[in-house]
Amino acid sequence: MASIKRYPWISHFLGSPTGYVVHLQKGTVRHQGVGQAFWYRPVNSVLSEVPVDDQELPTLFHAITRDHQDVSVQANVTYRFIDPVAVSARLDFALQPAGPGAGPAPATGKEQVATIIGQLCQSHAIDQITTTTLAQALERGVSQLRTVLTEALRADTRLASTGIEILGVQVLAVRPESDVERALQTPVREQLQAEADRAVYERRAVAVERERTISENEMASQIELATRREHLVAQEGANARRDAEEKAAAGLIQAQAAAERQGINATAEANQIRLVGEAAAAREAATMEVYAGMEQATLLALALREAAGSLPSIGNLTITPDLLSGALAGLFQNPASRVVPAAGNATASGATGRSGI
């Protein structure tokens, strides 16, 4: 921004790199350009400083669509002054402040440019929006308005004659009223909420499916364990049964062996007894054959000897007359007829002798 140092009857001006100064003295241009520095007399001089850098002008206005809906348009216009001398002649960019008692200061050049461009933008935007519905304005209004406003402002003769060049127009938003906007957002919000609910339900369904899979796996594991336990119990039972059968078979074999052993022992014992009996019988038979040819007295003597060997010790012996008479009678009988009776008498005498003891 330019700076002015004031002295009595004279002042000094020092310009800025972005301000184009026009010094008029008695209606004649004495100095002009960017970054000027000069002395001047305030009583007969007029200074105007026109910015030559790019200017940004935000604007906001309302329009009615074809279906009678109010929309607000927010735009931003970029412009610059390409002919500062013409601008200073058409618009007020004076640097001289108003003196005391001069009333309110008039509108500055920037305010005038903002009013001109804002009215032009609003006029052309309204012409465009009135031909579209609210849905079309919200859907394609930004791009359409940007094109329409850029072409209209660049082709405007007043701006061109004033020395204003439009560099660009940006339409930032085309929005309906708040109630209408909320109503328009409701279906989308409901759809998004439905999508969110569907995602939640799908997530829950996936969780339930996973839990079911886990439960099925646990149940399958339990069934597998029960099956294996059943096989183990069956195998243990089969092993116990096989063990019992083996023990029973071994016991049977042992019993059969014991029975066979007892049979063999009994047979051997019976054979032994039979052989002993046969031997004893043969000996008795041989003895009887020997005794058959012996005399009665000899047999009596042998019987007495055998009886004496088996009898206990005799302290005294009593011989009765009957025993003596019988013995004497036997001595005088025939040898052939006294063999058998002699044995009988010997037995009787032996018995009598034992009884008399």
Side-chain angles (χ1 to χ4, degrees):
M1 184 176 181
S3 62
I4 299 175
K5 293 182 178 181
R6 303 183 184 279
Y7 301 97
W9 303 290
I10 195 169
S11 298
H12 184 268
F13 173 83
L14 179 62
S16 64
T18 58
Y20 192 99
V21 64
V22 178
H23 175 207
L24 297 177
Q25 187 175 8
K26 295 181 180 182
T28 303
V29 177
R30 298 295 301 272
H31 300 91
Q32 64 176 350
V34 178
Q36 295 290 318
F38 52 86
W39 294 90
Y40 68 96
R41 295 180 64 184
V43 293
N44 58 2
S45 299
V46 176
L47 298 180
S48 298
E49 186 180 26
V50 179
V52 293
D53 56 344
D54 295 345
Q55 302 294 314
E56 300 291 339
L57 175 63
T59 179
L60 177 66
F61 51 88
H62 292 264
I64 304 299
T65 61
R66 189 176 63 186
D67 49 359
H68 309 289
Q69 296 296 324
D70 184 16
V71 295
S72 60
V73 180
Q74 183 179 359
N76 187 71
V77 181
T78 304
Y79 66 95
R80 68 176 180 178
F81 300 106
I82 58 176
D83 190 355
V85 177
V87 171
S88 63
R90 301 284 297 271
L91 302 175
D92 185 8
F93 282 93
L95 291 178
Q96 291 288 92
T108 62
K110 285 187 177 182
E111 294 175 353
Q112 294 173 352
V113 173
T115 302
I116 295 171
I117 295 178
Q119 290 176 353
L120 289 175
C121 290
Q122 184 173 3
S123 175
H124 293 291
I126 289 174
D127 292 341
Q128 175 63 27
I129 290 176
T130 53
T131 61
T132 61
T133 62
L134 176 62
Q136 294 174 350
L138 296 179
E139 182 179 0
R140 299 185 300 270
V142 173
S143 59
Q144 291 178 353
L145 286 177
R146 181 173 59 248
T147 302
V148 170
L149 293 180
T150 301
E151 294 177 354
L153 292 179
R154 287 180 178 176
D156 188 77
T157 56
R158 182 180 179 184
L159 295 178
S161 62
T162 307
I164 301 174
E165 180 184 10
I166 302 300
L167 300 179
V169 178
Q170 299 296 328
V171 178
L172 303 180
V174 177
R175 301 183 60 179
E177 294 181 347
S178 58
D179 297 338
V180 177
E181 187 175 10
R182 283 194 298 270
L184 293 175
Q185 292 174 353
T186 299
V188 179
R189 289 179 179 177
E190 293 296 333
Q191 183 178 1
L192 294 178
Q193 186 64 35
E195 293 292 331
D197 295 340
R198 185 176 61 84
V200 172
Y201 296 150
E202 290 180 356
R203 183 168 63 252
R204 290 181 180 177
V206 171
V208 171
E209 182 67 22
R210 290 179 179 176
E211 290 179 358
R212 185 182 64 82
T213 303
I214 293 173
S215 300
E216 290 180 354
N217 292 336
E218 291 178 353
M219 187 178 298
S221 300
Q222 293 178 359
I223 294 174
E224 182 66 21
L225 291 176
T227 304
R228 292 185 179 180
R229 190 178 296 109
E230 181 182 0
H231 293 168
L232 178 60
V233 171
Q235 187 64 36
E236 289 179 351
N239 294 339
R241 184 169 58 253
R242 188 178 297 110
D243 190 10
E245 291 176 355
E246 294 294 335
K247 289 182 179 180
L252 179 60
I253 293 173
Q254 292 178 359
Q256 291 177 355
E260 291 179 359
R261 188 163 53 250
Q262 290 179 359
I264 293 173
N265 292 335
T267 303
E269 185 177 359
N271 291 334
Q272 183 179 2
I273 293 173
R274 183 176 56 78
L275 292 176
V276 171
E278 290 178 355
R283 187 182 65 179
E284 291 292 333
T287 302
M288 294 304 294
E289 289 180 359
V290 173
Y291 288 165
M294 297 178 77
E295 295 181 358
Q296 184 177 4
T298 305
L299 294 174
L300 182 59
L302 291 174
L304 292 174
R305 189 184 65 179
E306 291 180 359
S310 60
L311 291 175
S313 61
I314 302 174
N316 53 14
L317 178 63
T318 301
I319 299 176
T320 63
D322 295 333
L323 177 61
L324 182 59
S325 61
L328 292 177
L331 291 175
F332 295 104
Q333 291 180 0
N334 291 328
S337 60
R338 64 177 178 229
V339 175
V340 176
N345 292 333
T347 306
S349 64
T352 306
R354 288 193 295 272
S355 61
I357 296 174

